[in-house]
Amino acid sequence: MNRKVNVQHRRFSQISFVNRGFTLVELLVVIAIIGVLVGLLLPAVQAAREAARRSQCTNNLKQLGLALQNYHSANNEFPPGNLGHRNPDKITQGPVVTNPNDPGYVPKTPNVVYLLPYLEESARFAAYDRDLDWDQQPRVVLEQITTALPTYQCPSDEQQKMELTQGGPANSQNLADAKGNYGVNWGSWEYLDQFDQSVLPGQTANVNTLEDNRRAPFAVEWGASIKNISDGTTNTFALLEMLQAPSQQGAGVDRRARIWNHLPSSYQVSTKLEPNSPDGDRGVCVNRVDLDLPCAGGTTENQMSMGSRSRHAGGVQVAMCDGSAQFISDSIDALVYKGLSSSDGGEVVQLP
C-alpha cells in the first residue's frame, strides 16, 4: 500500500506546471483594440462636452436677453450702446465735448454697466460712479472690473484680460479688465455708419449719419425702444457672439471683446462680415488667424467694425430683441444676415 502511494507521489511530483502569460503579439493586439475604442469614444466625449458648453452659452444669452427686457420694462427703452465717445446728434453740430469739466461732458460708460442690476450684480452697479468715466472709477470698482462676469463668459472660449493697452489714462493702461463673449448689435456696417446703404437692395450709396446710426437697436447714446423696432423683435439681433482676443505682452494690443471699454472695435458687433468670416476685422487688433481672429487693422475709429465669431462648429449664437436665443449658421444668406441686424430697415427677412 505504501509503495503504491509513493509511486503516485513520484508521478505527481514529476508533472510540470507552466504559468502561460500574454505573448507580445497578443499584447499588441489588445493595445491596438484599446486604441481603436479610445479613438471612437474620444470624439463622442468631446462632442458631448461641447454640446454642454454650447448649452451654457445659450443660457447666458437668454439671461442677457431677459436682462435687456427687464431694463426695457423699467426704462421704456433698451440701454444705450455706449455713452460719451461720439454723440451722433452733435456730429454735424460741432466737436464732441471731451473735457470732463465741461457741463456738456458725457461720462464714458459701456453698455454692460446698465445691465448689472439685472444680472444679480447689484453690488458692482451700486459701487459704479455714473459721473465718472469707466476707467476713472474708484479703485474698488476697478478691481471688480478685472474679475470676469460669469454671464458674459462662453465656456467654449478661453477667458482673456486686457493686460496690454495703448494710450488712455494711467488707470486704463494698468487695469487688466476682463473681457466677454457677447457684444451688442451695431448694425450692418461700420461704427459711424451702422447701415450700409450701398449693399442692401433698394438703397442708395448716400450716407445719412443721423439716420443710419439709429438703424440698429444700439448706438452711441442710443438704445431703441420696442416701438422703434418695426422689423419685429423676433427678427432683430440684440447681442451676438464674439471671441475674446488675447492682449498681453508679446501678443499685441487687441481691443476685441473688451466689454468694459466704450471705444469702437471693442464689443460693438456688426454684420458687415458674415459669421466666422475669414476676412479681417477693422480696428485696434492683431491678425491672429491661428486663433480664428483675423484682423485687417485700421486706425480711423469711424470706420472700425468687428464681425461675430465663436468656437461653436458651423455658426454663432445670438440673442434676439424678444429675449430668445438662436443659432446662426455660417452659411446664412448674406443679405438675410444683414437684414436681421437692422431694427427698422423694412427688410422682409426671418430667421432660417
Side-chain angles (χ1 to χ4, degrees):
M1 182 67 179
N2 290 336
R3 182 179 178 184
K4 183 177 181 180
V5 172
N6 290 335
V7 171
Q8 290 178 343
H9 177 72
R10 285 196 299 270
R11 289 176 178 174
F12 182 78
S13 65
Q14 291 174 356
I15 298 174
S16 62
F17 292 92
V18 178
N19 292 323
R20 184 176 180 276
F22 284 109
T23 67
L24 179 59
V25 173
E26 290 172 331
L27 181 61
L28 292 176
V29 170
V30 170
I31 292 174
I33 292 173
I34 293 174
V36 170
L37 292 175
V38 170
L40 293 173
L41 292 175
L42 188 58
V45 171
Q46 291 175 334
R49 288 178 176 175
E50 170 53 25
R53 291 191 290 262
R54 176 171 158 177
S55 177
Q56 179 59 52
C57 186
T58 302
N59 289 336
N60 288 345
L61 283 163
K62 288 181 178 178
Q63 289 185 53
L64 290 168
L66 179 60
L68 287 172
Q69 295 296 317
N70 289 335
Y71 182 97
H72 191 286
S73 296
N75 299 276
N76 296 317
E77 62 185 10
F78 289 132
N82 63 30
L83 288 181
H85 177 64
R86 186 177 295 275
N87 186 335
D89 295 331
K90 297 180 180 178
I91 289 177
T92 59
Q93 302 170 19
V96 177
V97 177
T98 58
N99 184 357
N101 297 320
D102 191 293
Y105 181 76
V106 178
K108 301 179 180 70
T109 308
N111 174 269
V112 63
V113 171
Y114 301 94
L115 294 185
L116 292 178
Y118 308 97
L119 296 173
E120 299 183 358
E121 295 287 350
S122 297
R124 294 199 204 210
F125 184 74
Y128 193 94
D129 190 341
R130 298 274 295 278
D131 292 327
L132 298 176
D133 291 345
W134 68 274
D135 54 2
Q136 295 297 312
Q137 295 294 310
R139 175 52 55 182
V140 63
V141 178
L142 295 179
E143 290 174 353
Q144 291 175 343
I145 287 174
T146 64
T147 303
L149 284 169
T151 313
Y152 275 84
Q153 306 301 314
C154 175
S156 296
D157 195 20
E158 183 178 352
Q159 293 185 12
Q160 301 286 346
K161 288 188 176 182
M162 189 71 182
E163 298 176 8
L164 183 64
T165 65
Q166 74 179 21
N171 282 348
S172 68
Q173 293 188 50
N174 301 297
L175 190 55
D177 46 300
K179 293 191 173 187
N181 285 104
Y182 312 109
V184 296
N185 170 19
W186 211 255
S188 63
W189 196 234
E190 297 170 341
Y191 186 74
L192 181 60
D193 178 19
Q194 293 183 296
F195 187 69
D196 180 21
Q197 295 181 324
S198 64
V199 172
L200 293 179
Q203 305 294 334
T204 67
N206 296 323
V207 175
N208 184 326
T209 301
L210 297 182
E211 285 186 8
D212 291 355
N213 55 26
R214 299 289 173 89
R215 287 296 182 106
F218 303 95
V220 180
E221 308 230 0
W222 164 258
S225 65
I226 288 179
K227 66 181 180 181
N228 299 133
I229 306 176
S230 58
D231 290 348
T233 56
T234 59
N235 297 316
T236 304
F237 296 144
L239 300 162
L240 298 92
E241 274 195 278
M242 57 187 179
L243 291 180
Q244 298 187 36
S247 188
Q248 298 101 12
Q249 293 292 340
V253 178
D254 202 315
R255 281 186 195 160
R256 289 178 289 186
R258 195 179 187 186
I259 60 176
W260 288 103
N261 194 320
H262 69 293
L263 293 170
S265 77
S266 295
Y267 61 84
Q268 300 89 355
V269 186
S270 79
T271 58
K272 177 183 177 182
L273 301 178
E274 295 169 33
N276 292 308
S277 172
D279 297 330
D281 301 317
R282 296 197 63 84
V284 180
C285 54
V286 179
N287 189 31
R288 296 295 302 273
V289 294
D290 57 315
L291 298 177
D292 298 320
L293 284 165
C295 171
T299 58
T300 304
E301 291 188 339
N302 292 344
Q303 298 175 357
M304 291 181 180
S305 62
M306 178 176 63
S308 181
R309 308 179 193 281
S310 81
R311 298 294 179 203
H312 311 303
V316 299
Q317 298 202 91
V318 303
M320 310 304 291
C321 285
D322 65 353
S324 65
Q326 303 286 347
F327 185 79
I328 303 298
S329 171
D330 291 341
S331 61
I332 187 173
D333 181 82
L335 291 182
V336 171
Y337 186 54
K338 288 178 180 294
L340 289 167
S341 68
S342 69
S343 57
D344 65 348
E347 311 91 357
V348 182
V349 296
Q350 291 184 334
L351 284 168

